[in-house]
Each structure stands twice: as structure tokens, then as C-alpha cells.
Amino acid sequence: MDLIRDPAAMRRWASEARSRGESIAFVPTMGYLHDGHLSLMRIGRARADRLVTSVFVNPLQFGEGEDLEVYPRDEEGDLAKCESEGCDAVFFPQPDTMYPPGFQTRLVTGALTTVLCGASRPGHFDGVVTVVLKLFNLVQPHVAVFGSKDYQQLQVITRMVRDLAVPVEIVGAPIIREEGGLALSSRNAYLGPDERSQALALNQSLALAQELFAAGERDPGVILAAVRAHIQAQPLGEIDYVQLVDAEELTPLYGPLVRPAVLALAVRFGRTRLIDNRVLSES
Ligand code: AMP
């Protein structure tokens, strides 16, 4: 496995692979890797000749007062996991090489980011799509894998690729959960024991919504009220948002649910902001 820190070297590595006729799968991450990330690598591995994972805590996507400085890092552990998943290269750049002096160009997202995390974290998705496009230009993947745990991010990147005719296939991957249902996240490392056990309410509330939907409930108000009540029963949880939105356009749904809908939520436990979601299905 090649460890590549320099963006120009990453681009050369990718160009050489392409010139040998090899296809490239890419998994961008912010590191502190867990089984959710590894599941994306397995999907990528199966879809191309070469697998590249990047580890980069991207300052552009963090707002003022967010957790950029304290975001968990474990370079040695991450490299070992990438190696054991059969990555051919790990791209591990630093902010000063990704954003050298004079860097000033950014992508701007649209309506998809006026809701959910986009509303709570202004500028976040502009930072995400900017770094993802730059990473795509360096890694030159044929296919890139993103988790549907970050449901809005997956939609925003899919749209960016479509809007700007970026020659990459975007593949969405299922949410990987711990036993008990908590979605794996690098930020779970921040949770204290009581917060962690109360955070199980997130997935439980999504299951509750799914049960109601499968039983025929189509009133968003009824489903949202049940979800909110379940989360609010946890004294340490503070709801940022709980919303039912159109599964593709992410527009909030107020009338009877007739189109595919996703229930998305963000809840704070102390300083930790957790997100989760579930696409509601008939059965
Ligand atoms: P992050 O390192 O948090 O930026 O995540 C990198 C990629 O891993 C993103 O595509 C995430 O959606 C994905 N990911 C994070 N957690 C999970 C999970 N529990 N299940 C599946 N994918 C995940």
C-alpha cells in the first residue's frame, strides 16, 4: 500500500494507474476509521482494479465553534485498517498542501442545502463539495463510494457530479450500526457512557417511524410527533432537527406522504452532534 501525502504525487499515481488501463475506486474520509468506513472500502474494492482511500479533516467544512481542532485522529490505526482492507493507496494530505497560500476558489451548493444539516451548518456543504471535487481531480476515480449515514451529503455530491458533468460514478452505501443500533461515527468517541446509552433513542425513533409508516400512517405530523417525543424522553438529548423530507429533493413534506420520504434527524448530546436517517418503506 502506498502512503501519499503530496497532492501532485497523488495525481501522478492516479494518472499512471489510468494509463495502465486500471480502474480506480475512491473512498474519501476524515479518518478515525470505523467499520462504516471499512464497508465503503469493501464496496469500492469490488468495483475497480485499484482502491484509494483519503484521510483529510477538511477545515473548509467546519464552521466557527465546531470541532475541527478536537476532531479525533489516529493516523497509525487508520493506515493499518486501510492496509487490511486491501487499499492500494492512502492519500493523507495536510491543509497547507490542499489549500496553499492564495487558494480562494469554492463551489456553492443550492436548494438541497437550505434544509437539514445545511440549515444548521451554514457553508458546510460548500466546503464538502469543494474538497470532494478537488479530491476527485487528484485521485481521478471511476467510482466513489459515500455512506448514506450522511444522507444529505450523498444527495449533494450526486447533484454536484450531475450538475458539473464530473466523470465519476457515485455509489451510496448502507448505514453501518453498532449492536444496539447506534450508527457508527467517528464523533461517537466524544460520547460519555450515559450519552451513548441515551443516543440509542435515535435509531429507536427511526424504527418507530418506520413501524407507523408500514402500518399505514401517512400524516407527517403524527410521525414527527412520535419521533420527537421518543427523543425528548432522553434527558441528555437536545433536538437540532427532526424532519421528513422528499428522498431526492430533500424538500420538507407537510401533506400526506405519497412520494419516497426520508426521516432525518440531528440531536446533540452535550458537545456531540449526532445525525441519523431512515428512508421509510411500505414494509
Ligand atoms: P467521515 O469520515 O465521517 O467524513 O465519513 C466518510 C464516509 O464514511 C462518508 O461517506 C460517510 O457517509 C461514511 N460513513 C460514516 N459513518 C458511516 C456509517 N455508520 N455507515 C456507513 N457509512 C458511513
Side-chain angles (χ1 to χ4, degrees):
M1 184 178 79
D2 295 320
L3 170 58
I4 303 171
R5 297 189 189 275
D6 174 35
M10 183 67 248
R11 217 225 269 270
R12 271 197 305 279
W13 188 99
S15 297
E16 283 165 18
R18 277 188 168 247
S19 69
R20 289 192 296 267
E22 294 165 356
S23 57
I24 300 172
F26 179 40
V27 177
T29 80
M30 297 205 301
Y32 209 69
L33 301 176
H34 52 65
D35 284 347
H37 298 115
L38 305 192
S39 75
L40 309 188
M41 292 180 204
R42 283 171 211 145
I43 292 170
R45 176 80 275 170
R47 283 183 165 252
D49 302 318
R50 296 280 164 190
L51 174 61
V52 180
T53 294
S54 65
V55 176
F56 180 54
V57 182
N58 171 36
L60 280 194
Q61 70 190 68
F62 286 77
E64 198 109 333
E66 290 189 346
D67 56 346
L68 173 62
E69 277 78 29
V70 296
Y71 195 84
R73 294 163 208 247
D74 176 16
E75 177 168 333
E76 217 176 293
D78 287 350
L79 292 175
K81 287 173 189 156
C82 290
E83 178 100 58
S84 70
E85 287 306 324
C87 290
D88 295 288
V90 181
F91 182 41
F92 224 121
Q94 291 300 312
D96 60 344
T97 53
M98 285 294 277
Y99 305 122
F103 179 93
Q104 56 185 266
T105 305
R106 285 174 203 224
L107 293 182
V108 178
T109 55
L112 281 178
T113 62
T114 56
V115 291
L116 309 179
C117 291
S120 307
R121 305 181 68 190
H124 167 68
F125 286 111
D126 293 354
V128 169
V129 289
T130 301
V131 79
V132 167
L133 185 61
K134 181 154 186 169
L135 289 168
F136 283 175
N137 286 332
L138 297 169
V139 176
Q140 303 172 57
H142 296 79
V143 52
V145 191
F146 291 86
S148 51
K149 186 203 161 230
D150 299 271
Y151 189 89
Q152 187 172 22
Q153 172 174 279
L154 174 59
Q155 301 305 318
V156 167
I157 289 168
T158 302
R159 191 66 63 102
M160 181 270 283
V161 161
R162 186 173 105 190
D163 287 348
L164 302 181
V166 184
V168 183
E169 180 193 355
I170 302 299
V171 173
I175 302 175
I176 305 298
R177 299 177 180 282
E178 295 180 0
E179 225 173 288
L182 181 63
L184 291 178
S185 165
S186 307
R187 289 189 168 102
N188 291 353
Y190 300 147
L191 294 170
D194 293 346
E195 292 171 335
R196 182 176 277 268
S197 67
Q198 292 188 26
L200 301 183
L202 270 58
N203 185 48
Q204 288 162 1
S205 73
L206 296 173
L208 184 61
Q210 171 57 34
E211 256 172 56
L212 288 168
F213 187 83
E217 183 58 65
R218 291 293 180 274
D219 180 344
V222 171
I223 296 174
L224 291 172
V227 169
R228 288 197 180 108
H230 188 79
I231 296 170
Q232 280 160 351
Q234 314 304 315
L236 299 177
E238 191 199 325
I239 292 176
D240 176 359
Y241 65 75
V242 172
Q243 270 193 304
L244 262 167
V245 296
D246 180 278
E248 210 173 305
E249 297 299 330
L250 307 185
T251 42
L253 299 170
Y254 301 107
L257 299 173
V258 287
R259 289 174 50 78
V262 59
L263 180 63
L265 47 82
V267 179
R268 282 179 202 286
F269 287 88
R271 62 181 186 137
T272 312
R273 184 174 174 279
L274 300 179
I275 58 171
D276 206 340
N277 70 83
R278 182 158 180 164
V279 177
L280 300 183
S281 64
E282 299 281 342
S283 54

